[in-house]
Amino acid sequence: MSDSYKNFIKRLKLLIKKHPSLITTTLSNIFTMRLIGNKTHGDLAEIAISEFVNQYMYDFRATHVGKDLFRAKSKEEDIRVTSEIDEQEFQVSLKAYGDGPLQLSTDKTFSMFPRLERENRIVTDKKTIDIIFSGPEFSEFEEINVLPLIYNEKTQQCNIMVFDYEKAKREVASIVRVDAGRGRKHPIYKFSNKSEEYICEVRYGGSSANALQRGLWTHTRNGMKYFESVTNGWIDYSHNQVLVKLFSHALVSSDTGHSEALKRVQEDIEKIRKKESI
């Protein structure tokens, strides 16, 4: 996690603590998109969080990278953020996942798993573990600025949880190969602390594996102590049925109607900003 991203997270956490209604409204709108499609909320979350930064975080500006540009990038990024104070730019990979398994990196070069294959099935020597983390295969481990929006649809709660890579690396005490089985098609390497508590895992990722069967993963429930909640815990959200109706009408109306609607929305944002004294 870059220093610029750490500062961004610190400022975001402070904003949410002072003005919780802003993020509650935004996340409610984001997860309402699941009423339209199971995966719709993920793409729209990238746009929504970019706009949230631009509207409410005066010392940062954000740009949604877009899917075409994203696919052409060597690094995983959905949002590009720039500090208005020092002009430092950093990329953010946004994840909108249910409460459970969370992919931290797709490991596009398929280098993590083969590197671990060169070791014994069980690695507990701290020096060896440090060597593994310091190698180029694991350079992505703390370079990717992942911003996970985690939700529990049954309880209608959500949480912005940031994985603490530094703490994870520091506390890994064992790396164990776990063979396929129990619902796993491919083997994994499980990383645990000295109390044998789960931290994260590296999945296989060979030619026969899909995106969900490869890369660096963790689990938001099993690895809870390695996350920092930016929203200061779980927050309740509700579905915005008006937003769904607005989308349906917008899709069959002209750009003239869109322009008029946008003016009203911008006026509403200004009212929110004044009310929250932002």
Side-chain angles (χ1 to χ4, degrees):
M1 192 187 300
S2 68
D3 290 339
S4 296
Y5 184 58
K6 288 179 184 177
N7 182 52
F8 170 76
I9 292 299
K10 181 180 179 180
R11 298 300 296 269
L12 176 59
K13 188 172 183 178
L14 180 61
L15 173 68
I16 291 172
K17 185 177 181 179
K18 293 176 67 175
H19 307 283
S21 64
L22 296 179
I23 197 65
T24 299
T25 297
T26 302
L27 292 177
S28 291
N29 290 337
I30 288 172
F31 294 122
T32 291
M33 295 299 95
R34 286 185 58 79
L35 299 178
I36 296 176
N38 285 339
K39 295 183 179 180
T40 306
H41 68 292
D43 292 333
L44 291 180
E46 299 168 11
I47 300 172
I49 295 301
S50 296
E51 194 60 33
F52 182 91
V53 172
N54 291 329
Q55 294 291 346
Y56 304 127
M57 298 183 73
Y58 66 88
D59 45 358
F60 294 95
R61 63 180 183 272
T63 303
H64 178 228
V65 175
K67 290 304 177 187
D68 290 338
L69 287 174
F70 169 71
R71 292 193 179 99
K73 297 294 180 182
S74 60
K75 291 189 175 182
E76 298 174 37
E77 59 179 283
D78 302 311
I79 301 170
R80 191 172 298 138
V81 182
T82 305
S83 169
E84 296 282 16
I85 298 173
D86 58 13
E87 289 299 317
Q88 289 291 314
E89 182 181 279
F90 55 92
Q91 289 75 39
V92 176
S93 174
L94 191 141
K95 308 283 186 181
Y97 274 60
D99 184 20
L102 171 66
Q103 189 175 37
L104 297 171
S105 168
T106 57
D107 187 21
K108 291 181 179 180
T109 60
F110 181 42
S111 56
M112 289 182 174
F113 194 91
R115 171 63 184 89
L116 296 172
E117 289 279 80
R118 285 154 41 193
E119 304 293 336
N120 296 325
R121 292 178 64 90
I122 300 176
V123 179
T124 56
D125 178 63
K126 188 58 178 175
K127 184 178 180 181
T128 302
I129 292 172
D130 289 342
I131 291 173
I132 290 172
F133 278 130
S134 63
E137 300 88 353
F138 279 79
S139 61
E140 281 189 355
F141 195 86
E142 56 184 337
E143 289 181 358
I144 301 173
N145 302 320
V146 178
L147 187 65
L149 311 184
I150 305 301
Y151 65 94
N152 184 321
E153 203 156 49
K154 289 184 178 180
T155 61
Q156 285 198 278
Q157 290 182 308
C158 52
N159 200 338
I160 300 180
M161 303 166 63
V162 177
F163 188 71
D164 191 336
Y165 289 89
E166 294 178 356
K167 181 180 179 181
K169 284 178 62 176
R170 187 170 63 247
E171 295 192 5
V172 169
S174 67
I175 303 174
V176 179
R177 180 187 167 101
V178 181
D179 291 328
R182 291 189 177 183
R184 286 187 305 274
K185 184 178 180 180
H186 302 286
I188 65 168
Y189 277 91
K190 184 172 71 170
F191 294 64
S192 306
N193 61 22
K194 63 181 180 181
S195 300
E196 298 185 356
E197 295 172 317
Y198 175 92
I199 297 177
C200 60
E201 65 190 61
V202 169
R203 297 188 179 182
Y204 172 68
S207 59
S208 62
N210 61 37
L212 298 180
Q213 297 167 333
R214 64 173 181 258
L216 178 64
W217 287 71
T218 187
H219 197 289
T220 53
R221 291 194 299 270
N222 299 342
M224 182 62 74
K225 65 168 56 179
Y226 294 95
F227 285 92
E228 175 189 2
S229 175
V230 181
T231 48
N232 303 294
W234 291 90
I235 60 176
D236 297 327
Y237 73 87
S238 58
H239 288 145
N240 183 351
Q241 299 288 350
V242 176
L243 180 60
V244 176
K245 192 171 184 179
L246 175 63
F247 260 92
S248 65
H249 281 63
L251 291 173
V252 294
S253 60
S254 69
D255 57 354
T256 301
H258 298 162
S259 297
E260 291 300 316
L262 182 58
K263 289 178 184 177
R264 296 291 298 274
V265 170
Q266 288 173 328
E267 289 172 1
D268 183 64
I269 292 174
E270 284 302 314
K271 289 179 182 178
I272 293 172
R273 288 165 60 92
K274 289 180 180 179
K275 180 182 178 182
E276 298 289 339
S277 300
I278 294 175

